[in-house]
């Protein structure tokens, strides 16, 4: 039986977001073979929070790369892809919590749908989120504004025109061939998906690829 594909989890961060600890702890809980994924943190500079994230990853037995350079998030993702060893590149943010089956679900969907370049899923607001953060989460979940892609929504996998990079797993050759805009922010993930589709790639949404995303 062939081993699971190797996946590189790429996370840009300024290194000052307290939620990064929860993100790394959720990576350590992923239901995916420990030797088949790596975590790449791309920070502006070494900070106490980034150092603690490094320690947590090492304590969890996670293969880790840490890259420091104060560039925009899109360029950090580009540098993460360049350093990645994975067949798949999994993007998330420093303020998410990944469900245990997040990677496994994404890899299975891409294996079953070879015509798609990438897959994303819902990002729910954590229950402990502040009232304003929960209100923002409800706005992102509006079927009138965002077609449910950010929170609840479709019961079955379906084609979409955008997945946010807090929850987006792509085939390496697709993302490496397009790249993120090096200075645009915010909206660099939307612009990326526009160019991805302009060259003929298709994008999948799958409801079982879940992350929780703190709204800031």
């Amino acid at each position: 039986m062939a081993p699971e594909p190797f996946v590189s989890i790429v996370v840009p961060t300024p290194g000052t977001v307290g939620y990064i600890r929860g993100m790394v702890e959720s990576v350590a809980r992923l239901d995916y073979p420990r030797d088949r994924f790596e975590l790449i943190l791309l920070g502006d500079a070494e900070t106490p929070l980034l150092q603690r994230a490094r320690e947590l990853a090492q304590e969890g037995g996670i293969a880790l790369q840490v890259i420091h350079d104060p560039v925009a998030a899109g360029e950090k993702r580009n540098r993460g892809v360049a350093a990645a060893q994975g067949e798949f590149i999994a993007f998330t943010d420093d303020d998410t919590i990944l469900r245990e089956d997040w990677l496994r679900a994404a890899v299975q969907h891409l294996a079953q749908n070879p015509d798609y370049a990438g897959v994303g899923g819902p990002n729910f607001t954590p229950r402990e989120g502040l009232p304003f953060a929960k209100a923002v989460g409800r706005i992102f979940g509006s079927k009138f504004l965002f077609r449910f892609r950010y929170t609840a929504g479709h019961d079955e996998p379906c084609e979409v025109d955008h997945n946010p990079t807090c929850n987006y797993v792509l085939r390496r050759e697709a993302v490496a061939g397009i790249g993120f805009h090096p200075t645009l922010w915010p909206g660099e993930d939307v612009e990326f998906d526009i160019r991805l589709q302009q060259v003929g790639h298709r994008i999948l949404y799958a409801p079982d690829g879940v992350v929780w995303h703190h709204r800031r």
Side-chain angles (χ1 to χ4, degrees), residues 93-115:
D93 288 348
D94 58 5
D95 55 357
T96 61
I97 299 172
L98 313 172
R99 200 167 74 176
E100 291 181 4
D101 61 349
W102 177 65
L103 270 192
R104 187 173 297 281
V107 168
Q108 288 177 347
H109 281 295
L110 290 175
Q112 295 165 3
N113 296 277
D115 293 337

Side-chain angles (χ1 to χ4, degrees), residues 21-194:
R21 173 173 184 156
M23 185 276 296
V24 174
E25 290 174 340
S26 72
V27 170
R29 293 192 296 269
L30 287 172
D31 177 23
Y32 203 79
R34 190 66 90 246
D35 63 345
R36 302 304 297 164
F37 72 88
E38 65 176 339
L39 175 63
I40 304 176
L41 300 176
L42 299 109
D44 290 349
E46 189 70 9
T47 66
L49 286 171
L50 199 51
Q51 176 60 37
R52 182 55 183 150
R54 184 199 301 266
E55 293 168 356
L56 288 169
Q58 293 171 342
E59 290 168 8
I62 300 167
L64 177 70
Q65 295 188 58
V66 181
I67 300 171
H68 297 123
D69 205 349
V71 294
E75 179 60 15
K76 285 179 178 175
R77 294 190 191 100
N78 292 338
R79 297 183 186 192
V81 171
Q85 303 177 49
E87 176 183 345
F88 295 104
I89 308 296
F91 293 111
T92 192
D93 288 348
D94 58 5
D95 55 357
T96 61
I97 299 172
L98 313 172
R99 200 167 74 176
E100 291 181 4
D101 61 349
W102 177 65
L103 270 192
R104 187 173 297 281
V107 168
Q108 288 177 347
H109 281 295
L110 290 175
Q112 295 165 3
N113 296 277
D115 293 337
Y116 286 84
V119 60
N123 61 93
F124 298 106
T125 303
R127 290 182 178 178
E128 67 272 19
L130 297 173
F132 180 76
K134 291 181 178 179
V136 172
R138 285 192 292 271
I139 291 171
F140 278 123
S142 167
K143 66 180 179 180
F144 302 106
L145 295 178
F146 295 101
R147 289 188 263 173
F148 291 112
R149 288 200 303 269
Y150 289 79
T151 52
H154 307 285
D155 294 329
E156 300 292 336
C158 63
E159 186 167 352
V160 293
D161 54 20
H162 173 56
N163 283 313
T165 44
C166 65
N167 185 359
Y168 203 0
V169 181
L170 290 125
R171 302 182 194 278
R172 181 194 179 96
E173 63 271 19
V175 64
I178 300 299
F180 287 86
H181 193 290
T183 59
L184 177 65
W185 186 89
E188 77 286 354
D189 54 351
V190 176
E191 193 268 347
F192 168 84
D193 273 344
I194 290 171

